[in-house]
Amino acid sequence: MKFLEVEDFSLSSQIYKNSNVLPYFVYIKHEFIKPESVEYREYQSKIAYAALRENTLVVLPTGLGKTVIALLVIADELKKKGNKILFFAPTRPLVVQHAQFLKEFLTIDPSSIQVFTGEISPLKRQELWEKTRVIVSTPQVIENDLLSKRLSLKDVSLIIFDEAHHAVGEYAYVFVSEMYQKQRSEDRRVLGMTASPGSDVSKILEVCRNLDIKNIEIRTKYDRDVKPYVHDLKIIWKEIALPREFAYTIQLLRKALSERLKILKQIGVIDSSSVSSINRTKLLDAQKRIQEEIRSTVKPSKMLFKAASVQSEAMKIHYALELLQTQGVNALKNYFQRMRREVSSKNSSKASRSIMSDNSILEAVAYVKSLDIEHPKIPEIVEIVKKQLKEKPDSRIIVFTHYRDTSAYIVNQLKNVENAKPVRFIGQAVKNGDKGLTQKEQALIVKKFKEGEYNVLIATSVAEEGLDIPSTDLVVFYEPIPSEIRVIQRRGRTGRKMPGKVIILITKGTPDEGYYWAAKHKEKRMRSELEMLRSKLSKKFEESETLYNDIVKEKVNQKTLEDFEKKRNNEQVKIIVDHREYRSNVIKNLTIKGIIVEPQQLDVGDYVLSSRIGVERKNVDDFLESLITGKLFKQIAQLRDAYSRPLLIIEGEGLLTKRNISHNAIFGSLASISVDFGIPVLRTKDAMETADLLNVIAKREQRDDKKTVAIRGDKPQMSLKERQQFLVESLPNVSAVLAKRLLTHFGSVRAIINASEKELQEVEGIGKNIASEIIKVLNTDYNEE
């Protein structure tokens, strides 16, 4: 074997022009890359060279070495002195993987490469940050440290965003990127990497805007310089017939669904001429239409609220039908068991109660219990795994399924297969009593899978991106999925360093077929659009630059309101925030705007904007929950008593549609807060609007030195009666109403303090528990310790 080392990978395109090079095995030669460790590939070197010149998004199929491109760019950045490099990945296992990769191939001291996760204490991270050159981290950790001002990005010369398609909305990548632009004004390099950007040009442009990217490098497996490194991938789709035993249950579920669809059609929220042609997409459209109608109507009719409830019932029944058709009896049984438990709880929804009292549904549930048959996909999976392990005993297999219930069932079935060592691989979240896996458990499973202790991974979506398992021989889709991005990620688990195989199971005459073709068409469209994206995006970037430059020129001599504001208020605005609110998206948006945000433990409210303004912020879900539990008015009373100009902000949409609460009850509570408590209620659409509102109010307030921000509110002088009530309200579980009743009954504060437990219980609303707590607080000796 002959070897040829490439002296400078940035000039590699010149070397490949010589056809005599082809018989050689070529390595990259670089002072910061270990000798004879990284194979030279023309497309990787070209992309790395482009990424060193300007901020770049790399779109490259899974398994073709995006991490090597990152390595080449990092190696060149290490030539600089006194700089830091940040490498982001969305999950902890992927962070650990990247760090191990860099330690294996870079010549720098391994201790100069550190992993940052939430398991490392903030103080330890701060200490490591000062002495570390390359930091590999999840974005949320750095986001938290930026918010807490434990670190700054001013010394970071390069940030790499792996799985860059996440850089939309409120994902941590977006905040970190904005802070990077703010804290380091020049010599700032960004590299974004993804295998599946999606088929929407505007979405890709949003990612580019959010990450400050000016160039895009796209390669497909059909490109000349990529084709030699693409391995064959055999894709087989198997049609599965539903067993006859499912027919009666399907008939009952369809009957229950049809009844609700007819009601929605009569109300006029569904336009379809045939009830049988109404699918999940049309039901979601109906939901959107109903909610928009409710929001835009001053006094929505009862019919609209009935439509909202019926639509929710229809969605649940449609879901049950899909579970049986695509997952099987076990998944459907578990679903109805959970719904039955929900119905017996306090917070059950009207839709669930209606479903579980429907005769057709009850009959379907009873019939399903009598079935001693599973979905035919299960024995098919068993046969596929058995055959693969017989033909190649050292195989690694991944079985993807959308549902946790199904993954648990498949694991149990595969335990009986000879030579199969199955393991379940799911996310961290707790779902329906299933506590999930910790990140350490996930990393350990991946390690054991690589080493052969496990050879069949039964995984949910958590394994779709970021797993570095090059030896996977077979990937099985238990069901098709409609997302082209997720299909590419799943499929990319095989065919990396050897030919691979994908088997997709499709149940005939069910949503499986629709999802399969939807993803196939989207992927085909994405492929064709990727071919056009290079020129399209170049043009879009040019247009964006031109537009930006025009706006800048216009603004040069034009004074804005903000200019006058800055002139009047040279000092920075400061907002005190309750520590429990400190991780919210509101704080991120305030930080980006340059507002000084100081966390404190606030007894009352979430934000303090000045000595007289305290703000309670509730998103719609919080507001409705506190209304149901009875906590709302106690918090409002405390806010009123603490600040002379209290405010309540309700953030988000769906105030009248999210929960099964009478809109009159909601309007009544808003009226009481405004009229009885004298607290203005302000509405915002999202966290960004809330941040804008807080910023504007704080600026207005803090122009006047007398209104500087303070933790204790500047409450105006209270009357004697108000002071008495204020003192009594400080007793445990005593609301404003109970305080008035106690004072009216006993006549004075002293009489209340001297009252016995039995005497306190004579007051309406004071039970044994409240009376006992009051006596305990009043009579227990004070202990400073």
Side-chain angles (χ1 to χ4, degrees), residues 25 76 142 180 318 336 395 398 483 562 691 724 768:
F25 194 81
D76 220 63
I142 300 299
Y180 188 37
H318 189 281
F336 278 126
S395 290
I398 299 181
S483 164
E562 194 173 348
Q724 289 172 319
K768 183 174 174 53

Side-chain angles (χ1 to χ4, degrees), residues 444-704:
L444 185 61
I445 288 171
V446 170
K447 182 174 179 288
K448 288 182 176 181
F449 184 69
K450 283 182 180 180
E451 293 168 353
E453 192 169 332
Y454 300 123
N455 59 5
V456 186
L457 203 68
I458 295 88
T460 54
S461 59
V462 70
E464 287 173 358
E465 63 181 23
L467 281 181
D468 181 25
I469 311 172
S471 56
T472 302
D473 303 272
L474 171 66
V475 167
V476 183
F477 288 32
Y478 185 83
E479 71 283 283
I481 45 176
S483 164
E484 81 279 18
I485 291 177
R486 291 179 60 198
V487 167
I488 292 167
Q489 296 283 12
R490 282 188 177 190
R491 206 171 54 213
R493 301 303 108 204
T494 187
R496 291 185 163 199
K497 293 189 177 179
M498 64 185 78
K501 184 163 67 174
V502 174
I503 298 175
I504 304 170
L505 304 183
I506 304 171
T507 314
K508 288 192 287 187
T510 72
D512 273 358
E513 291 183 332
Y515 292 154
Y516 173 76
W517 290 110
K520 198 168 179 67
H521 292 319
K522 285 179 188 173
E523 188 182 348
K524 189 177 179 183
R525 188 171 74 243
M526 184 175 82
R527 258 205 321 265
S528 62
E529 289 193 3
L530 279 174
E531 298 297 333
M532 297 184 289
L533 266 178
R534 294 180 180 96
S535 57
K536 264 190 180 181
L537 287 173
S538 298
K539 190 177 178 184
K540 291 276 185 185
F541 281 137
E542 287 170 15
E543 288 173 359
S544 298
E545 284 295 317
T546 305
L547 181 62
Y548 174 76
N549 291 333
D550 289 345
I551 291 169
V552 169
K553 285 175 187 175
E554 267 183 41
K555 285 188 172 182
V556 168
N557 298 314
Q558 184 180 331
K559 296 288 183 183
T560 65
L561 284 172
E562 194 173 348
D563 294 329
F564 289 113
E565 250 183 42
K566 284 178 181 175
K567 194 174 179 181
R568 283 200 301 261
N569 184 19
N570 291 324
E571 291 186 7
Q572 275 191 296
V573 173
K574 177 182 173 183
I575 293 176
I576 291 177
V577 58
D578 183 60
H579 66 95
R580 289 162 295 190
E581 185 82 2
Y582 201 60
R583 298 291 175 261
S584 73
N585 288 317
V586 175
I587 302 303
K588 295 178 197 174
N589 285 296
L590 287 172
T591 304
I592 289 166
K593 292 175 188 299
I595 308 298
I596 297 173
V597 181
E598 184 180 316
Q600 297 275 358
Q601 185 168 341
L602 299 179
D603 294 326
V604 179
D606 296 315
Y607 299 89
V608 180
L609 308 184
S610 71
S611 57
R612 64 178 189 159
I613 294 184
V615 179
E616 177 77 23
R617 167 189 167 262
K618 288 188 178 294
N619 64 39
V620 166
D621 288 324
D622 290 338
F623 178 81
L624 296 176
E625 184 64 27
S626 60
L627 181 60
I628 292 168
T629 57
K631 293 179 182 177
L632 177 64
F633 289 106
K634 185 170 184 180
Q635 291 173 328
I636 292 299
Q638 290 171 336
L639 190 68
R640 175 203 60 192
D641 294 336
Y643 296 96
S644 60
R645 293 288 186 274
L647 297 173
L648 172 65
I649 294 177
I650 301 177
E651 180 186 297
E653 299 178 346
L655 185 61
L656 298 176
T657 58
K658 276 203 169 184
R659 297 288 286 271
N660 189 29
I661 305 173
S662 161
H663 66 281
N664 285 335
I666 296 170
F667 287 144
S669 65
L670 294 173
S672 176
I673 293 166
S674 298
V675 178
D676 299 336
F677 290 89
I679 296 178
V681 180
L682 305 176
R683 297 292 309 277
T684 59
K685 184 176 70 176
D686 51 30
M688 187 175 289
E689 276 195 7
T690 302
D692 288 340
L693 180 61
L694 292 173
N695 182 25
V696 168
I697 297 170
K699 276 183 178 178
R700 286 184 79 254
E701 284 293 292
Q702 293 175 36
R703 284 181 197 149
D704 184 351

Side-chain angles (χ1 to χ4, degrees), residues 168-186:
V168 292
E170 294 179 344
Y171 192 71
Y173 278 176
V174 180
F175 174 75
V176 172
S177 174
E178 290 194 33
M179 292 303 292
Y180 188 37
Q181 294 170 58
K182 191 178 183 67
Q183 294 180 354
R184 188 177 174 98
S185 57
E186 53 189 32

Side-chain angles (χ1 to χ4, degrees), residues 768-785:
K768 183 174 174 53
N769 290 338
I770 294 178
S772 174
E773 282 294 313
I774 291 172
I775 294 297
K776 184 179 177 182
V777 167
L778 293 174
N779 295 339
T780 302
D781 290 338
Y782 175 66
N783 186 345
E784 286 190 8
E785 294 179 3

